[in-house]
Amino acid sequence: MTGALRLAVALLAGLLFGLGLAISGMMDPAKVLGFLDVAGPWDPSLAFVLGGAVGVSALGYVMAAWMGKPATAPRFDIPTTRTVDARLVGGATLFGIGWGLVGLCPGPALAALTLGLPSIGVFVVAMLAGMVLFRLTPGMTPRTGEVRR
Amino acid sequence: MSAFLSPLVGGLLIGASAVVLLLGNGRIAGISGIAGGLLGPSRRDTLWRGAFLVGLLLGPILYRMQAGHWPEVRMEASWPMLIAAGLLVGYGTRLGSGCTSGHGVCGIARLSPRSITAVAVFMVVAAVTVFIVRHGIGT
């Protein structure tokens, strides 16, 4: 029962995320590049996506502190590492170059698969290949869930 | 909707998604982590990750049912450029343990110094990349 509930929660969260991306304009690479092009005819509107999302999300973390544990799981799975290291900065740099080249980040790229555009498909296949390549790099393991509380 | 209202409403929904996943399942709504986690040998979180991605793909369909058209996707990049950018985004988000959602939406909200640093770095690097492509090289 908890398992089914957990899946329903994940499905609902994905649906809200995909709908939010579609409404926000983040799925339009031309708009994203217009936001990143601060030296051109800058379009700051996408800052409201991050602002709105962070505002609501922050309320979630406050509520999480009150709740103690999530509805369907024994504990919150939140990274507690706080040290900034070369790997973090290097990864963010590579991601930033890729994002700036075409204007797609992982969420919008995956959500846009639904539209069936070949160019989105090419990007997503390359992105997944990049993720697999990371796994194949000697000494590299994903840090997701490395530290728990 | 006005130019700023749609991004704000979309952002609020994305934030709501992060809250639902956090308070419901105790997990962070980081897309690169959720997708990347499916590509490894561990099958531990396969089901909920899959359910989240199915929802993500259904989102634009729900949008179309309401709006009457697909969300706009304008992209001019060549295939070699798409492949290079895709590889960088995939590899970089795994190396840096997050993307716009995990570090941006969730990380900033919980005031993680790592996430705030990552967001600052990838925003500045992306803006510099756009500057070089659009204004730096005489195209």
Side-chain angles (χ1 to χ4, degrees):
Chain A
M1 191 55 213
T2 315
L5 195 58
R6 198 171 295 168
L7 289 187
V9 166
L11 183 70
L12 174 66
L15 196 62
L16 284 169
F17 208 110
L19 182 64
L21 286 174
I23 292 174
S24 70
M26 282 294 290
M27 279 169 64
D28 184 6
K31 191 170 176 65
V32 172
L33 293 179
F35 168 68
L36 293 170
D37 187 7
V38 288
W42 190 43
D43 170 12
S45 61
L46 290 184
F48 285 76
V49 183
L50 189 62
V54 168
V56 175
S57 177
L59 292 177
Y61 285 96
V62 173
M63 288 163 75
W66 290 342
M67 282 171 68
K69 77 182 199 60
T72 74
R75 63 178 182 279
F76 287 104
D77 212 334
I78 299 167
T80 51
T81 323
R82 295 179 79 81
T83 37
V84 173
D85 54 14
R87 185 177 148 178
L88 178 85
V89 174
T93 302
L94 294 181
F95 167 47
I97 295 170
W99 192 30
L101 284 177
V102 305
L104 278 174
C105 53
L110 288 168
L113 277 178
T114 302
L115 278 68
L117 305 168
S119 53
I120 297 287
V122 169
F123 179 88
V124 169
V125 168
M127 180 178 88
L128 297 178
M131 290 178 172
V132 171
L133 214 59
F134 169 75
R135 290 222 180 239
L136 300 176
T137 310
M140 287 296 178
T141 46
R143 276 180 171 155
T144 320
E146 189 179 82
V147 185
R148 307 232 158 122
R149 83 170 182 211
Chain B
M1 280 200 260
S2 89
F4 294 95
L5 191 57
S6 299
L8 181 63
V9 170
L12 294 175
L13 284 171
I14 292 168
S17 162
V19 173
V20 165
L21 198 62
L22 179 71
L23 301 185
N25 294 357
R27 303 304 292 248
I28 292 202
I31 307 294
S32 56
I34 290 173
L38 286 173
L39 299 170
S42 167
R43 294 276 75 96
R44 200 167 49 95
D45 291 324
T46 300
L47 281 176
W48 79 262
R49 290 178 198 272
F52 182 94
L53 291 180
V54 168
L56 188 67
L57 290 166
L58 291 176
I61 296 176
L62 199 62
Y63 173 88
R64 188 169 191 236
M65 286 162 64
Q66 293 298 316
H69 56 85
W70 290 114
E72 199 160 23
V73 180
R74 294 167 296 165
M75 193 161 60
E76 295 165 1
S78 65
W79 281 33
M81 182 66 96
L82 288 169
I83 292 168
L87 286 169
L88 285 165
V89 168
Y91 196 95
T93 51
R94 294 309 276 154
L95 182 65
S97 312
C99 58
T100 342
S101 49
H103 280 316
V105 176
C106 302
I108 294 178
R110 61 190 176 86
L111 301 175
S112 155
R114 279 173 56 83
S115 291
I116 291 167
T117 306
V119 173
V121 169
F122 67 63
M123 286 281 213
V124 169
V125 170
V128 168
T129 304
V130 171
F131 181 84
I132 292 170
V133 170
R134 290 198 171 173
H135 311 287
I137 315 165
T139 44

